[in-house]
Amino acid sequence: MWSNILKSLLCKEEFLGSCRLNSRNKPGIRGPEWHLILTRWASIVLLAIVMTALLSAAEKTIQLPPDHPFGKLKSGAGVEVVEDRCGVCHSTDYIVTQPRRDAKQWSTEVDKMIRVFGAPVKEREVKIIVDYLVSSYGPRQERPTRKAK
Amino acid sequence: MQAPSRRVFLKMLGGAGLSSFAGRRFHPAGFLWGAPSDDSVSRPMVRYPEKTDLILLTSRPPQLETPMKYFDRAITPNEAFFVRYHITPIPTRVDADTWRLHIGGHVEHDLRLSMNDLKTQFDKVSVTAVAQCSGNSRSRFSPRVLGGQWGDGAMGCAEWSGARLRDVLQKAGVKEGALQVTFNGLDTPAFSSVPDLIKSLDVSRILNDPNVLIAYEMNGQPLPLLNGFPARVVVPGWFADYWIKNLEEILVLDHPDENFWTKTAYRIPDTPCGCVEPGTTPQHTVPISRLKVRSFIAFPENHARLPRGNRVLLKGIAFDGGFGIEDVQLSLDRGMNWRRAKLGVDRGPFSFREWSFAWSPEVAGEYRILVRAFNRLGESQSEIPRWNPSGYQRNVVEHIEVVVV
């Protein structure tokens, strides 16, 4: 890749100094094209500076993408409360990727978020959140257990 | 650690209502291995800074999983290495020139090391070692458990280079009575009620182990930011929760570490197998530590269709907690007969060990191919899944299913 960039900065066929020779040989071209040669050299110096800065990697800055839509909560009664209360510390993919849990299990989990991590959930919101979680991510209707082949 | 004692083994079988199979090695029915969940939300591929396409687990904080196809070789490329953060926000801008590593607490001299200090005042050493999340493969647990629903890609192996942690501690001068050493990274929770991610090791553990590093290079490159730039702790042979990323502070304690992530989280049942009867709560727990023996088939991929009569070279990796892999075996008949795989280059006892196995299937049909490894102590993988409530240290015999056509 770098060799290509370098090439594009140089003469079509050969390296800077030798352009002169080349252009001389070509009909209709009198001498070296100094302005071109100078801009090309300047670009090379600039590129070298940028590359050393990149390669020394003293500083790294990254930009993180926004929450991915796959983690979006299903619609349902109380979903706004869950989005508000359960989406502040982490994206809601934490919730949608979990195995299905029953009322007792979800209520233990919500309790853990409040007690252990200090989730800012008001007393009356607990039931709304647990009800939502059970109806959206609660146990499925009876389904046959996976059989081994 | 040893295979489950016979008593626990029988209890586990009994608990699963399968006591009639007890004592048999590898029941051909195969359902004992616990199939990958078919209930999980299908997870998208995403590309994060300095990373290639990885499987998204969570966006905020970022948790990204390495696809199985990268485990056909000993070294996981930096750009494909899994990412696991706990708390938000995570550092998104780090300048290694102004970065300082603070070493303090119960020491003679408080140190503030620059990257240049770290590189010039201490020997540079390298070790090839596996980083595996404690909860790798958690989504395979049955009954299932809450937590990050990883597939099998929360693991990777790299050549880590940096300063020995013990050299750095010796420079600071560990005082009499020092017990434990805590590591803290640049990630600090926005909510002060969320416990900061701090992990610890015993002082003696560090002083006796020349392989515990403060690594500033990963496969000869500066670490990707999401893998811990500018430096991270590397604890070869131990689960990755100790390998604190974007390292900022090391404190020597003269008392036991009481932090949440040591005292409450990352603990396993205090039983010989680190397991309990599925669905039950352990009475006593201990911090998770050494990796268990595991092995995987990376090629062909699960559910591949293979042409009959053609030779196919099966490939994968095996690893353990630092004794070294001695043998990898495959079974093409659901565990009745086992054949030796060919091992690749030995990159030391903490590394992935590559293996390959040539197979020319002659008969069309469905095959379940099993893989198991043995380390130098003779430890291997469990025949039935061991269960614990946090979904840690899974090490069951792995398999893929292929169709020969």
Side-chain angles (χ1 to χ4, degrees):
Chain A
M1 167 198 178
W2 291 116
S3 69
N4 277 341
I5 294 178
L6 216 60
K7 250 190 212 156
S8 72
L9 285 167
L10 304 174
C11 279
K12 281 265 154 48
E13 293 91 3
E14 282 184 70
F15 195 66
L16 297 171
S18 36
C19 292
R20 204 152 25 133
L21 283 173
N22 255 348
S23 48
R24 250 195 210 147
N25 293 344
K26 284 194 178 147
I29 295 175
R30 291 251 171 101
E33 296 175 35
W34 283 112
H35 62 287
L36 268 185
I37 292 175
L38 280 176
T39 32
R40 278 168 185 163
W41 271 111
S43 324
I44 289 175
V45 171
L46 205 75
L47 186 75
I49 293 169
V50 171
M51 273 177 65
T52 9
L54 283 176
L55 287 178
S56 75
E59 200 224 282
K60 286 196 185 205
T61 306
I62 61 171
Q63 210 182 348
L64 296 173
D67 292 2
H68 194 285
F70 105 105
K72 204 168 152 43
L73 296 170
K74 283 181 203 167
S75 56
V79 67
E80 305 83 14
V81 183
V82 183
E83 269 165 3
D84 277 5
R85 298 294 179 245
C86 306
V88 278
C89 297
H90 48 68
S91 41
T92 48
D93 33 29
Y94 268 78
I95 296 169
V96 309
T97 51
Q98 296 304 324
R100 291 167 172 276
R101 306 278 88 179
D102 62 21
K104 187 163 161 273
Q105 290 167 321
W106 271 128
S107 135
T108 310
E109 185 66 4
V110 170
D111 189 53
K112 172 183 167 186
M113 293 303 134
I114 298 169
R115 255 184 329 101
V116 179
F117 298 132
V121 178
K122 297 194 190 84
E123 193 71 50
R124 58 174 179 81
E125 292 168 339
V126 174
K127 189 174 154 30
I128 303 175
I129 294 174
V130 173
D131 284 352
Y132 167 84
L133 291 171
V134 175
S135 65
S136 304
Y137 304 100
R140 280 220 180 112
Q141 303 300 340
E142 270 304 288
R143 78 195 161 93
T145 44
R146 207 181 135 101
K147 285 217 180 75
K149 278 179 209 152
Chain B
M1 277 179 207
Q2 300 301 313
S5 72
R6 193 170 167 79
R7 194 175 51 80
V8 175
F9 194 80
L10 290 174
K11 249 172 96 182
M12 287 168 69
L13 286 165
L18 298 164
S19 45
S20 55
F21 301 147
R24 262 193 224 177
R25 286 178 75 79
F26 290 101
H27 189 265
F31 53 75
L32 293 176
W33 286 283
S37 117
D38 55 352
D39 196 22
S40 58
V41 181
S42 122
R43 289 158 47 200
M45 298 296 279
V46 289
R47 187 172 288 202
Y48 272 57
E50 302 179 276
K51 311 300 288 179
T52 185
D53 290 342
L54 298 175
I55 311 162
L56 181 65
L57 180 62
T58 64
S59 301
R60 178 168 50 91
Q63 300 194 81
L64 313 171
E65 179 170 336
T66 306
M68 188 46 67
K69 68 175 180 194
Y70 289 100
F71 302 119
D72 63 346
R73 66 201 92 161
I75 299 293
T76 316
N78 290 3
E79 56 172 16
F81 217 92
F82 80 100
V83 172
R84 193 307 189 222
Y85 277 94
H86 296 69
I87 50 180
T88 42
I90 68 157
T92 51
R93 181 167 189 279
V94 180
D95 186 346
D97 282 343
T98 54
W99 172 83
R100 293 291 178 273
L101 176 59
H102 176 219
I103 295 107
H106 204 59
V107 291
E108 306 287 349
H109 322 281
D110 219 63
L111 301 181
R112 274 171 209 282
L113 301 175
S114 69
M115 182 52 77
N116 194 46
D117 296 337
L118 209 54
K119 287 182 174 172
T120 55
Q121 295 179 11
F122 306 95
D123 288 347
K124 181 180 180 182
V125 289
S126 297
V127 57
T128 302
V130 176
Q132 184 190 208
C133 175
S134 307
N136 192 24
S137 314
R138 181 180 285 119
S139 66
R140 319 287 193 221
F141 271 66
S142 173
R144 293 191 57 187
V145 296
L146 281 166
Q149 299 298 311
W150 296 105
D152 299 319
M155 61 176 185
C157 179
E159 186 196 30
W160 310 94
S161 307
R164 288 189 186 99
L165 182 54
R166 84 170 179 198
D167 293 353
V168 173
L169 286 189
Q170 268 156 8
K171 176 135 192 151
V174 175
K175 280 191 191 161
E176 192 76 20
L179 268 186
Q180 292 193 303
V181 180
T182 62
F183 314 113
N184 195 357
L186 292 162
D187 46 351
T188 304
F191 262 79
S192 59
S193 54
V194 174
D196 197 1
L197 181 71
I198 294 173
K199 288 293 294 181
S200 55
L201 292 174
D202 287 350
V203 172
S204 55
R205 164 91 183 71
I206 298 167
L207 297 182
N208 290 325
D209 189 345
N211 293 305
V212 178
L213 304 185
I214 301 172
Y216 44 76
E217 274 176 22
M218 179 176 176
N219 296 326
Q221 298 290 320
L223 284 71
L225 192 48
L226 294 173
N227 293 112
F229 180 82
R232 81 179 297 173
V233 179
V234 166
V235 190
W238 279 33
F239 279 100
D241 45 305
Y242 295 97
W243 301 40
I244 294 294
K245 297 184 294 299
N246 314 112
L247 188 62
E248 185 183 34
E249 187 169 61
I250 298 176
L251 292 180
V252 179
L253 306 183
D254 60 358
H255 54 269
D257 172 23
E258 301 270 284
N259 280 296
F260 171 80
W261 301 101
T262 295
K263 202 182 161 187
T264 311
Y266 287 119
R267 297 179 77 91
I268 53 165
D270 187 10
T271 57
C273 61
C275 62
V276 289
E277 204 174 309
T280 64
T281 311
Q283 283 191 318
H284 301 284
T285 61
V286 288
I288 194 167
S289 58
R290 196 169 283 286
L291 299 172
K292 303 250 174 200
V293 180
R294 296 196 83 175
S295 55
F296 289 94
I297 303 169
F299 183 87
E301 62 180 358
N302 198 16
H303 304 306
R305 294 171 77 82
L306 305 173
R308 187 162 54 96
N310 274 19
R311 178 179 173 277
V312 52
L313 192 65
L314 276 63
K315 287 171 81 173
I317 50 92
F319 63 95
D320 77 323
F323 300 101
I325 291 297
E326 195 167 67
D327 201 7
V328 174
Q329 303 174 354
L330 283 98
S331 173
L332 301 165
D333 54 9
R334 295 170 180 252
M336 305 292 213
N337 296 289
W338 292 87
R339 286 153 67 185
R340 278 221 156 104
K342 187 165 166 267
L343 297 185
V345 180
D346 185 355
R347 294 165 195 268
F350 303 107
S351 171
F352 276 165
R353 189 76 188 261
E354 260 171 47
W355 60 260
S356 62
F357 182 87
W359 182 43
S360 303
E362 299 300 339
V363 184
E366 291 180 9
Y367 290 81
R368 171 174 292 209
I369 308 177
L370 273 47
V371 64
R372 70 180 183 191
F374 292 85
N375 71 1
R376 295 204 174 99
L377 298 185
E379 294 169 336
S380 186
Q381 292 161 257
S382 61
E383 296 156 13
I384 46 168
R386 295 165 179 163
W387 193 92
N388 62 74
S390 302
Y392 289 148
Q393 56 185 25
R394 188 172 171 86
N395 86 323
V396 73
V397 171
E398 300 290 340
H399 68 267
I400 59 165
E401 319 239 349
V402 297
V403 185
V404 173
V405 289

